[in-house]
Amino acid sequence: MSLDDVYRQVVMDHYQHPRHHGHLEHPTLSVGLHNPSCGDELHLDLIVDAHGVVRDAAFEGQGCSISMAAASMFVDRVRGKTLEEARQVVESFKDLLRRREADRSLLGDLEALEGVSQFPARVKCATLVMNAFEQAIDRIEPEGGAGDGRKA
Ligand code: ZN
């Protein structure tokens, strides 16, 4: 079995059996995003604590296998990580898709999406969940602003 086949199986497994699929009951952050070039829709819920740790995350959506598999992989990857660590995952993944040197040790199953770099039109599918994540955490106020009562 070639590496491509292994990667394809990992992608299809996440697509068919998404991890952390659904909504969180009391998310601290929620973002919905749409990828018009493909029609993918994604909703991301996050619980980020006052220490900047992603305590929980879940997603829901409809779209192509790449967008949904990437969401499952990413959410699974960043749960329990700090926002800084999660940002590094995003950067490494974008490096991978730009065919730059990437820190693969951060990527986990996301590495299976490397082949998307050959299809520039699909890069937006693969990064949709990360764009949602970045929009969500941009709303967090800088140091000292946590715990302002926005917790539901
Ligand atoms: Zn798509």
Side-chain angles (χ1 to χ4, degrees), residues 59-128:
F59 79 99
E60 201 163 60
Q62 286 188 327
C64 66
S65 56
I66 293 172
S67 65
M68 294 296 112
S72 171
M73 292 167 174
F74 180 73
V75 166
D76 199 37
R77 196 69 195 153
V78 299
R79 286 171 87 251
K81 288 196 161 36
T82 65
L83 293 179
E84 189 48 43
E85 288 166 340
R87 280 197 190 96
Q88 288 170 8
V89 171
V90 172
E91 285 314 305
S92 298
F93 185 67
K94 290 185 175 175
D95 284 342
L96 186 79
L97 293 191
R98 291 178 193 128
R99 302 189 185 198
R100 294 187 190 156
E101 201 172 318
D103 188 345
R104 291 167 184 265
S105 68
L106 299 176
L107 293 176
D109 285 351
L110 286 164
E111 195 178 3
L113 290 168
E114 182 170 13
V116 174
S117 64
Q118 295 165 38
F119 306 98
R122 310 306 298 279
V123 168
K124 281 183 185 164
C125 303
T127 55
L128 183 63

